[in-house]
Amino acid sequence: MRLVVLTGAGISAESGVPTFRDAGGLWEGHRVEDVATPEAFGRDPDTVHRFYDSRRHAVAQVEPNPAHDALARLEGALGDDLLVITQNVDDLHERAGSRRLLHMHGDLLTARCTACEARSPIAADLIERPRCPECGERMLRPDVVWFGELPYHLDEIDEALLACDAFAAIGTSGAVYPAAGFVMTAAEFGARTIELNLAASEITPLFEEVRHGPASLVVPAWVD
Ligand SMILES: CC(C)NC(=O)[C@H](Cc1c[nH]c2ccccc12)NC(=O)[C@H](CCCC/N=C(/NCCC(=O)O)S[C@H]1O[C@H](COP(=O)(O)OP(=O)(O)OC[C@H]2O[C@@H](n3cnc4c(N)ncnc43)[C@H](O)[C@@H]2O)[C@@H](O)[C@H]1O)NC(=O)OCc1ccccc1
């Protein structure tokens, strides 16, 4: 049984990582869209660097929760028949042991050089303008996908959605595209669909089965 699982901020909420909704989408008087866009970075890179530097420090202080652990266990059972696609930029899936994992919106712990495009692990806060280890320029940005930018791995994702027998969404509001549209693609190609979320989301009506509750309870119950 080939299974695709899409995760969002809700799966990391019980680890202590705030969701976009928890913060009401506001961050220090900024709308998330105002700090997570290339335009915002062009206009005021310091504010954008502080936003991601502080989130990186916060993620380093927390641990994966039973929902992350359950998906890592599921990978043990399904192997290559499981693919986890996460919208999250934290590394909690990896720290729980997931390897069949795609970060479609990038990753908080990696920098991308806007001069030579090289990627490198982040060693110092980007607000300090560390040099790119490849070209030496001080032009690093967080390797995350901002609004208006093309998400990563879309070809691999499309292939998996067309071929899967089941599709599950965990802890996502379905507010951001193209991720919010994946359930429709999977269903169109015959996959069974299930939503595991604390409460109803913008895409709940698109799922055949719905289980509402905290991820740390509903995901292990669904997996085991
Ligand atoms: C606001 C929205 C309307 N805008 C978009 O969708 C835009 C524009 C757009 C494109 N197509 C459209 C079609 C229609 C309308 C708009 C668009 N999309 C883009 O710009 C995308 C790029 C978007 C990516 C932006 N970067 C992020 N993140 C990285 C950075 C960062 O993290 O700072 S998005 C970011 O916000 C989203 C937040 O959503 P969730 O993760 O779901 O979190 P949220 O807080 O909203 O909800 C949490 C849920 O969990 C639940 N929950 C809470 N606690 C728990 C709990 N304990 N247990 C279980 N569940 C829980 C809650 O009930 C809730 O339902 C995630 O995707 C997250 O990654 N790029 C693009 O379209 O490029 C061109 C293109 C064209 C063709 C084909 C491809 C591409």
Side-chain angles (χ1 to χ4, degrees):
M1 197 268 292
R2 284 161 301 182
L3 172 63
V4 171
V5 176
L6 173 70
T7 67
I11 199 171
S12 296
E14 293 162 85
S15 293
V17 181
T19 70
F20 288 72
R21 276 167 189 281
D22 279 358
L26 290 174
W27 182 80
E28 280 188 353
H30 299 275
R31 290 200 57 71
V32 166
E33 281 86 333
D34 294 337
V35 282
T37 64
E39 295 75 25
F41 187 62
R43 230 182 7 254
D44 178 1
D46 278 5
T47 295
V48 174
H49 282 318
R50 263 186 305 109
F51 179 51
Y52 289 100
D53 287 342
S54 67
R55 287 170 66 186
R56 193 176 318 106
H57 290 293
V59 165
Q61 310 304 319
V62 301
E63 296 302 325
N65 66 59
H68 299 104
D69 299 338
L71 289 181
R73 273 200 310 281
L74 187 57
E75 183 176 320
L78 295 180
D80 290 354
D81 282 344
L82 173 68
L83 179 66
V84 175
I85 302 164
T86 188
Q87 299 167 81
N88 301 342
V89 292
D90 65 52
D91 65 337
L92 298 180
H93 280 300
E94 289 91 335
R95 280 159 47 192
S98 286
R99 293 294 170 269
R100 294 278 305 156
L101 175 68
L102 296 176
H103 278 270
M104 72 176 291
H105 291 163
D107 134 40
L108 212 42
L109 283 72
T110 303
R112 197 169 90 221
C113 177
T114 57
C116 75
E117 288 304 314
R119 285 185 168 81
S120 55
I122 294 179
D125 283 350
L126 296 189
I127 197 150
E128 292 154 22
R129 303 291 192 282
R131 289 184 184 284
C132 166
E134 288 296 315
C135 74
E137 292 293 334
R138 297 181 183 279
M139 307 268 292
L140 298 179
R141 59 164 277 179
D143 185 26
V144 297
V145 176
W146 285 325
F147 288 93
E149 295 184 323
L150 209 61
Y152 294 157
H153 311 295
L154 285 180
D155 300 343
E156 222 174 323
I157 290 171
D158 278 348
E159 216 179 291
L161 291 172
L162 272 60
C164 68
D165 306 298
F167 174 86
I170 302 173
T172 186
S173 60
V176 170
Y177 287 78
F182 291 170
V183 58
M184 288 183 276
T185 307
E188 216 176 295
F189 287 85
R192 299 199 321 284
T193 58
I194 180 170
E195 179 184 61
L196 301 119
N197 216 50
L198 187 62
S201 73
E202 297 182 20
I203 50 177
T204 297
L206 302 173
F207 290 85
E208 289 166 325
E209 187 184 351
V210 172
R211 297 189 189 185
H212 287 161
S216 67
L217 297 180
V218 293
V219 177
W222 172 64
V223 164
D224 301 333

